[in-house]
């Protein structure tokens, strides 16, 4: 029976008042920096005042939302309809529920597969397929681990069909099945946790009705595999208690998903290493609190992490070398340092003649007026590859690091401007340019003779589908953005901190965002942050679900 104390809306504890401070400061920084042009017109004192004002507004909003959501049961106690709702409790894992979710997701993506059969073929996949066929040298520019996955399915598909079209169609079908399996798993976890039917229904609609999931499930690239690995890794980071496991099943699963995250994306190692480090700290602190032992270490978690890192290093070194796989070129991983230096140079920063000469030794500065793009590094990167000399950096790594550091110490605001322009799409609420969710095309010209072959659908129906996809993309750009993904994630973290709940499910996505701030080549590319968007039903289920249901099966 609920006591009178439980029915009252209690004032927040002092800890809860304090824990919101860093989050409101983040929102204030996002708002002020996101509108860089306006901020540049104000003095430093005025911008500090704007940050303080937005921080106060953000704090008030966070405080109200956290207080209302945390006491929602008390607030709804007087609502007759709310009193009739059954209490949330875990559901049994009936065998047919997961296959049901899987089939619902798979059949919802089939129309996209049949409409754009055999695949959505982009330029990245063409290069990978050329490597598979031996037409181009093997490269780890796009993770070669994914190229090997692609090679397996393409080879089997070619032996079955005898055509390149059938080969890529075979690969695409199983990629689509993997996406359906991943989202079905998210729904199944929500179902078993006792998620209310309304939220569960919204989660189902989110996965089956938004065309972005259907289109990216048939895009022949690494994104679908990486998103799936990241979702499973986030779930395991949140729920697995490796220190308490007696068997090895969960250790193996954690190892496999962690290594997959590392191998399926160039920034995957940063995501895994950062998440593992936070997880070790978290498990260590929890272990000390539960046992009272100051020297408790999460030994098994550390061992699993070390095993992943060792296998990753072996793969990146001896394995790829034995397979004669070329590493990415030098400039590929230098997006931010190059953009920082170019921003300082192009915006009239303080550089010596020697420093300008060092930059000019890498790229033709006389062409920067035409090629420099503060939002898209690919333009400059390709110019360096074609007309510059990136090997100068490779031969003089230390000198160019010192160059970047020296110029940055004299031009900190221009470095900040370069960082903001190259990354704003991932954290600012609004940015000047719309993003393409699926790209402007679904099948590019290719040397394999593969063309789109609609199955079951007519040409007129394909026109209707095209208008639908364009309409959804326009709607998305009106009501949502990648920056809003980050804002929602930040609020979820603030609420978990308010409730003093486990926030490990968010850590891989925080690391994903940080890795984009370090190396994103495009400032507003949907597929780079798609993993966070796709995981929202599961993440929000953990965030706002009852604390007593934290431990999943």
């Amino acid at each position: 029976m609920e006591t009178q104390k439980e029915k009252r809306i209690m004032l927040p504890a002092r800890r809860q008042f304090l824990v919101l401070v860093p989050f409101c400061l983040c929102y204030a920084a996002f708002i002020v920096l996101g509108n860089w042009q306006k901020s540049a017109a104000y003095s430093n004192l005025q911008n500090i005042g704007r940050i303080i004002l937005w921080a106060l507004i953000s704090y008030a909003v966070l405080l109200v939302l956290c207080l209302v959501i945390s006491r929602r049961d008390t607030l709804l106690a007087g609502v007759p309809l709310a009193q009739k709702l059954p209490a949330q409790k875990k559901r049994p894992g009936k065998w047919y529920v997961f296959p049901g979710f899987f089939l619902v997701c798979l059949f919802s993506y089939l129309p996209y597969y049949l409409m754009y059969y055999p695949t959505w073929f982009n330029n990245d996949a063409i290069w990978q397929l050329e490597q598979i066929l031996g037409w181009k040298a093997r490269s780890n520019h796009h993770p070669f681990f994914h190229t090997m996955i692609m090679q397996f399915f393409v080879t089997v598909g070619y032996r079955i069909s005898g055509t390149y079209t059938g080969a890529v169609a075979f690969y695409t079908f199983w990629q689509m099945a993997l996406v359906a399996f991943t989202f079905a798993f998210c729904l199944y976890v929500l179902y078993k946790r006792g998620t209310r039917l309304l939220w569960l229904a919204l989660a189902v609609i989110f996965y089956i009705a938004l065309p972005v999931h259907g289109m990216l499930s048939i895009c022949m690239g690494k994104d679908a595999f990486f998103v799936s690995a990241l979702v499973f890794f986030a779930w395991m980071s949140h729920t697995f208690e490796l220190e308490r496991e007696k068997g090895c099943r969960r250790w193996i699963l954690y190892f496999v998903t962690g290594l997959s995250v590392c191998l399926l994306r160039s920034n995957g190692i940063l995501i895994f290493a950062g998440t593992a480090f936070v997880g070790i700290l978290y498990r260590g602190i929890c272990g000390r609190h539960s046992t009272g032992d100051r020297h408790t270490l999460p030994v098994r978690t550390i061992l699993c992490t070390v095993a992943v890192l060792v296998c990753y290093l072996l793969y990146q070194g001896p394995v790829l070398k034995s397979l004669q796989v070329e590493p990415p070129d030098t400039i590929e991983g230098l997006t931010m340092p190059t953009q920082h230096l170019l921003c300082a140079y192009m915006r009239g920063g303080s550089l010596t003649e020697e420093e300008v000469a060092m930059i000019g030794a890498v790229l033709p500065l006389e062409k920067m007026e035409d090629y420099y793009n503060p939002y898209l590094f690919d333009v400059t990167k390709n110019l360096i590859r074609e007309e510059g000399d990136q090997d100068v950096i490779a031969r003089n790594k230390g000198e160019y690091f010192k160059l970047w550091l020296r110029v940055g110490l004299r031009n900190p605001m221009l470095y900040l401007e370069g960082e903001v322009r190259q990354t704003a799409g991932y954290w600012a609420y609004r940015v000047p340019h719309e993003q393409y969710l699926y790209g402007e095309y679904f099948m590019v010209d290719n040397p394999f003779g593969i063309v789109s072959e609609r199955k079951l659908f007519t040409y007129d129906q394909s026109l209707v589908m095209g208008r639908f996809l364009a309409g959804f993309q326009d709607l998305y750009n009106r009501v949502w953005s990648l920056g809003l993904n980050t804002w929602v994630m930040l609020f979820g973290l603030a609420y978990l901190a308010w409730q003093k709940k486990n926030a490990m499910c968010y850590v891989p996505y925080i690391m994903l965002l940080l890795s984009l701030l370090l190396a994103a080549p495009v400032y507003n590319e949907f597929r780079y942050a798609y993993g966070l968007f796709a995981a929202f039903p599961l993440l929000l289920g953990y965030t706002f679900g009852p604390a007593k249901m934290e431990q999943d099966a």
Side-chain angles (χ1 to χ4, degrees):
M1 185 175 181
E2 193 175 37
T3 64
Q4 288 298 116
K5 183 178 179 180
E6 291 172 328
K7 290 181 180 180
R8 294 200 307 267
I9 298 179
M10 306 296 294
L11 288 175
R14 183 167 59 179
R15 179 196 68 81
Q16 292 177 312
F17 280 112
L18 293 176
V19 81
L20 297 181
V21 172
F23 297 98
C24 73
L25 291 176
C26 281
Y27 279 118
F30 289 163
I31 293 169
V32 173
L33 291 176
N35 195 349
W36 182 265
Q37 296 287 4
K38 184 177 180 179
S39 300
Y42 292 112
S43 67
N44 290 338
L45 185 61
Q46 288 174 315
N47 279 319
I48 292 173
R50 292 173 66 214
I51 290 176
I52 293 173
L53 176 62
W54 279 114
L56 291 174
I57 295 172
S58 302
Y59 186 88
V61 173
L62 285 175
L63 181 64
V64 171
L65 288 176
C66 288
L67 184 60
V68 170
I69 295 174
S70 63
R71 303 301 296 172
R72 60 187 181 273
D73 291 339
T74 302
L75 293 171
L76 293 174
V79 180
L81 182 61
Q83 292 179 345
K84 295 180 181 180
L85 293 174
Q88 286 187 259
K89 59 182 180 180
K90 290 185 178 181
R91 299 185 179 98
K94 296 179 180 179
W95 69 268
Y96 54 82
V97 175
F98 179 80
F101 284 139
F102 170 73
L103 291 175
V104 166
C105 290
L106 183 64
F107 285 125
S108 70
Y109 305 149
L110 273 176
Y112 301 96
Y113 178 67
L114 297 173
M115 181 70 74
Y116 297 105
Y117 183 92
T119 191
W120 168 8
F121 214 167
N122 59 28
N123 289 305
D124 294 349
I126 289 176
W127 186 14
Q128 289 178 278
L129 190 52
E130 286 175 332
Q131 294 175 50
I132 291 170
L133 297 176
W135 297 2
K136 292 286 180 67
R138 296 175 175 181
S139 172
N140 200 34
H141 178 89
H142 299 294
F144 191 71
F145 182 71
H146 174 256
T147 303
M148 289 191 293
I149 294 174
M150 185 185 293
Q151 180 173 358
F152 170 78
F153 286 102
V154 166
T155 301
V156 174
Y158 188 81
R159 289 178 179 175
I160 294 173
S161 66
T163 65
Y164 291 140
T165 298
V168 299
F170 186 80
Y171 165 86
T172 305
F173 176 83
W174 288 108
Q175 177 181 276
M176 180 178 62
L178 173 66
V179 172
F181 179 90
T182 302
F183 295 158
F185 178 82
C186 293
L187 295 170
Y188 185 65
V189 170
L190 292 174
Y191 170 82
K192 285 194 66 178
R193 279 173 54 82
T195 302
R196 295 195 185 280
L197 292 179
L198 175 60
W199 176 251
L200 190 61
L202 290 175
V204 172
I205 293 171
F206 175 85
Y207 284 128
I208 70 173
L210 298 188
V212 64
H213 300 308
M215 287 306 302
L216 289 180
S217 75
I218 66 167
C219 176
M220 194 172 180
K222 57 185 176 290
D223 299 299
F225 279 84
F226 174 74
V227 167
S228 294
L230 190 59
V231 166
F232 284 111
F233 179 65
W235 170 73
M236 291 178 189
S237 298
H238 185 85
T239 61
F240 278 18
E241 293 286 352
L242 298 181
E243 305 307 308
R244 302 177 185 176
E245 290 296 320
K246 294 182 179 179
C248 60
R249 180 175 64 91
R250 292 198 170 190
W251 303 349
I252 294 173
L253 289 174
Y254 183 85
F255 171 83
V256 170
T257 56
L259 188 59
S260 297
V261 168
C262 293
L263 300 182
L264 285 169
R265 202 66 170 263
S266 56
N267 60 340
I269 182 61
L270 301 177
I271 296 170
F272 172 80
T275 303
F277 177 74
V278 174
I280 290 169
L281 290 179
Y282 174 77
R283 303 302 179 193
I285 293 171
C286 289
R288 286 198 295 270
H289 287 171
S290 62
T291 64
D293 185 355
R294 293 176 58 189
H295 304 289
T296 298
L297 285 176
V299 177
R300 294 175 179 176
T301 305
I302 293 173
L303 290 176
C304 280
T305 300
V306 170
V308 171
L309 294 177
V310 168
C311 289
Y312 172 78
L313 293 174
L314 289 174
Y315 171 83
Q316 289 290 94
V319 173
L320 290 184
K321 186 176 181 180
S322 67
L323 294 173
Q324 298 180 328
V325 178
E326 298 175 354
D329 57 8
T330 302
I331 200 63
E332 180 65 27
L334 297 178
T335 296
M336 291 309 165
T338 308
Q339 289 290 68
H340 292 160
L341 287 167
L342 286 178
C343 184
Y345 172 77
M346 298 297 294
R347 298 276 290 156
S350 175
L351 286 84
T352 67
E353 291 184 4
E354 180 185 359
E355 289 166 345
V356 172
M358 288 184 69
I359 299 173
V362 176
L363 75 164
L365 291 177
E366 68 276 5
K367 293 190 175 183
M368 280 298 96
E369 287 291 340
D370 297 324
Y371 283 87
Y372 172 65
N373 188 324
Y375 305 102
L376 176 64
F377 182 59
D378 284 347
V379 179
T380 303
K381 181 169 61 179
N382 291 331
L383 177 65
I384 293 173
R385 286 170 175 160
E386 294 170 5
E387 301 184 32
D389 186 4
Q390 56 181 308
D391 290 337
V392 173
I393 302 176
R395 294 193 301 268
N396 303 277
K397 295 185 181 70
E399 293 302 315
Y400 274 89
F401 174 75
K402 292 176 185 177
L403 168 69
W404 172 79
L405 189 59
R406 288 196 309 270
V407 175
L409 290 175
R410 292 198 304 272
N411 304 275
M413 294 307 295
L414 290 176
Y415 269 34
L416 178 60
E417 179 180 341
E419 181 73 25
V420 167
R421 291 182 185 278
Q422 185 63 40
T423 64
Y426 301 105
W427 48 265
Y429 177 64
R430 278 285 178 252
V431 291
H433 309 106
E434 292 187 352
Q435 60 183 316
Y436 295 104
L437 302 187
Y438 345 96
E440 297 178 278
Y441 47 79
F442 303 132
M443 175 68 75
V444 297
D445 293 333
N446 59 84
F448 318 110
I450 300 174
V451 296
S452 294
E453 302 175 7
R454 288 184 305 278
K455 303 295 182 182
L456 301 182
F457 292 96
T458 65
Y459 175 74
D460 289 340
Q461 289 170 331
S462 70
L463 296 179
V464 173
M465 174 69 86
R467 288 194 294 269
F468 168 67
L469 293 175
F472 177 82
Q473 184 164 262
D474 181 63
L475 176 65
Y476 179 93
N477 282 306
R478 290 175 183 273
V479 303
W480 202 261
S481 67
L482 290 182
L484 196 52
N485 289 346
T486 300
W487 283 39
V488 172
M489 178 179 72
L490 197 62
F491 173 64
L493 284 166
Y495 184 75
L496 290 174
W498 170 279
Q499 291 289 80
K500 212 172 182 178
K501 291 172 63 177
N502 180 6
M504 280 303 299
C505 57
Y506 281 98
V507 176
Y509 299 101
I510 298 172
M511 298 303 161
L512 173 63
L513 176 63
L514 292 177
S515 69
L516 293 175
L517 298 183
L518 290 173
V522 185
Y523 95 120
N524 192 31
E525 181 72 23
F526 178 81
R527 64 189 181 92
Y528 289 158
Y530 174 52
L532 173 60
F533 183 75
F536 267 142
L538 184 63
L539 296 177
L540 298 181
Y542 279 125
T543 303
F544 302 114
K548 62 184 178 181
M549 296 181 186
E550 276 301 292
Q551 298 302 322
D552 289 84

